[in-house]
Amino acid sequence: MPLPLFALMLCVFSVGSAELVIAGILPTIAHDTGVSLADAGLLVTAYAVGVVIGGPVITLATSRMPRKPLILGLMGLFVAGNVLAALAPGYSVLMAARVISALTHCTLFAVCIVVASSLVPPGKEASAVSKVAVGLNLATVLGVPLGVLVDQHFGWRATFWGVVALSAAAALLVALFLPRDAVPVTAAAVDELRVLGNRRVQLAVVITVVAMAAVFTAYTFLAPLLTDVAGFDKSTVTWLMLVFGIGSLLGNLLGGRLADRALMPALTGILAVLAVALLALAVAAPSRWACVALMFVFGVAYFAVMPGLQARILTSVAGGTPTLAVSVNISAFNIGIAGGAWFGGGLLDLDLGLRVVVAAGAALAGLAALVALGELVRDRRAGAAPVAEEKETVAA
């Protein structure tokens, strides 16, 4: 991986690890700060709200800033937020620190994606996005377990200090290796806002929300499905989640390559595979071997869809003013995640069972695939297929 892309990937890894690790260290935080586990859980909620609401606002406010200084500034603020978390004397300060960190999340991810796509030849944008997004895979597979391990041996403050060190290293690599003129700033804030009126942008965001809701309707309740329905021991669930994580890593790289070759056909097909995988998991959940195989396929399909969702904005929709649109799409990921978890929990409250919850996730994935298929048909009818597809046709 080229050093500039590696530096951006490490930024995403740092921020992704900080976002996700909090769930694994909540019991320790609750004990040390003297709050209930439910109140400690609000640290997760506050972070998500900061991402969804603050992200697009900050992206718009910084639309005219040069990209490299902006990334360094955001990483500096992120480091400051985590230093404050590590030093927090109590729950209230820790909550404020989490909100400060969250405010950088959306804009940082969006700028890293846009800059990464500018560092590669036209038609390779999705692969560049997938390489940067590997940071999220590594945050899930490596960052979170390491953060929990540090918490177990040295306390939750040490986990935040680890995030600080990793983030500072990522910022140093950006300073050293990212070209200063990466993605020249040409768009005014009004141009970024105008893009959001584009029908394709709006439908791309809809696909993202529905796809992520599909994933997290099922993913949120995977652990009880594996223990209560498939009959696995609780100790085995960790290893099964590792299988899911390995699948997600492979899916991310595969999804980037497929999207580069034919964006909307790939995106539509992967969403269809996701729907089939979730439906099969709902049906075959009592079979342990089937669960293991389908956990892997679920992980592959989940992360294979992510490069295409962002590349739709970058290459086919937003043209020269993509940063705000990408930021809004990242907020859409979080809206879908929250909505999926809420929807799945609502189904459980109706006593419909865990297998029905997973099947509902499959139905949402099928709906996302249908919307993507409609966009694919509309593109071809209008003679406006994505750039990557047109290049493949010319090359053939």
Side-chain angles (χ1 to χ4, degrees):
M1 184 185 297
L3 282 173
L5 288 181
F6 178 77
L8 296 173
M9 184 275 289
L10 196 60
C11 289
V12 171
F13 175 55
S14 303
V15 177
S17 296
E19 178 191 18
L20 299 173
V21 76
I22 192 74
I25 62 176
L26 274 183
T28 311
I29 290 176
H31 179 268
D32 286 358
T33 57
V35 300
S36 68
L37 191 59
D39 285 342
L42 292 176
L43 295 169
V44 178
T45 304
Y47 192 98
V49 171
V51 172
V52 172
I53 298 176
V57 174
I58 292 176
T59 301
L60 190 61
T62 58
S63 63
R64 297 291 292 173
M65 287 185 64
R67 304 293 90 175
K68 182 175 178 177
L70 177 56
I71 292 174
L72 291 174
L74 290 169
M75 288 301 293
L77 182 59
F78 181 74
V79 167
N82 283 280
V83 168
L84 182 61
L87 297 173
Y91 175 76
S92 298
V93 175
L94 181 57
M95 176 68 76
R98 291 293 291 172
V99 172
I100 291 171
S101 299
L103 292 177
T104 69
H105 181 116
C106 198
T107 303
L108 182 65
F109 275 33
V111 175
C112 284
I113 287 171
V114 173
V115 171
S117 68
S118 75
L119 297 174
V120 297
K124 298 295 182 181
E125 292 90 350
S127 290
V129 170
S130 71
K131 288 175 181 176
V132 172
V134 163
L136 282 178
N137 298 118
L138 294 178
T140 303
V141 177
L142 184 63
V144 172
L146 283 177
V148 173
L149 187 65
V150 169
D151 168 58
Q152 291 171 350
H153 288 84
F154 305 104
W156 61 270
R157 295 180 188 276
T159 298
F160 282 111
W161 282 121
V163 170
V164 168
L166 183 63
S167 303
L172 178 61
L173 290 179
V174 169
L176 291 175
F177 299 112
L178 190 68
R180 186 170 182 84
D181 58 350
V183 190
V185 179
T186 58
V190 66
D191 297 318
E192 294 274 6
L193 282 171
R194 190 177 294 117
V195 168
L196 298 182
N198 187 311
R199 181 193 59 80
R200 290 184 183 176
V201 170
Q202 295 166 354
L203 283 176
V205 171
V206 168
I207 293 172
T208 296
V209 171
V210 178
M212 290 303 100
V215 168
F216 278 85
T217 296
Y219 180 80
T220 304
F221 303 100
L222 270 185
L225 180 80
L226 294 171
T227 55
D228 299 350
V229 179
F232 286 104
D233 293 332
K234 289 183 178 179
S235 60
T236 308
V237 172
T238 301
W239 295 104
L240 291 174
M241 296 308 291
L242 180 60
V243 170
F244 179 91
I246 293 171
S248 72
L249 180 60
L250 295 175
N252 188 24
L253 298 175
L254 176 64
R257 292 188 178 185
L258 291 176
D260 277 342
R261 296 185 63 183
L263 176 55
M264 288 311 294
L267 183 57
T268 304
I270 294 167
L271 285 168
V273 170
L274 176 63
V276 172
L278 288 176
L279 183 60
L281 182 60
V283 173
S287 169
R288 292 188 178 186
W289 285 110
C291 270
V292 173
L294 290 168
M295 282 281 289
F296 179 79
V297 176
F298 181 18
V300 171
Y302 167 27
F303 267 86
V305 78
M306 294 180 73
L309 291 173
Q310 296 292 14
R312 177 64 173 171
I313 298 283
L314 287 168
T315 65
S316 307
V317 181
T321 56
T323 308
L324 180 60
V326 172
S327 178
V328 169
N329 208 36
I330 292 170
S331 292
F333 274 91
N334 286 272
I335 292 170
I337 289 168
W342 171 82
F343 180 52
L347 293 176
L348 282 182
D349 287 341
L350 295 175
D351 293 325
L352 295 177
L354 290 163
R355 296 169 75 182
V356 171
V357 170
V358 177
L364 287 173
L367 176 60
L370 288 175
V371 177
L373 178 61
E375 284 294 273
L376 171 61
V377 171
R378 191 174 287 109
D379 281 348
R380 289 183 169 175
R381 285 180 177 174
V387 174
E389 293 181 49
E390 293 176 356
K391 292 194 172 194
E392 286 294 313
T393 303
V394 172

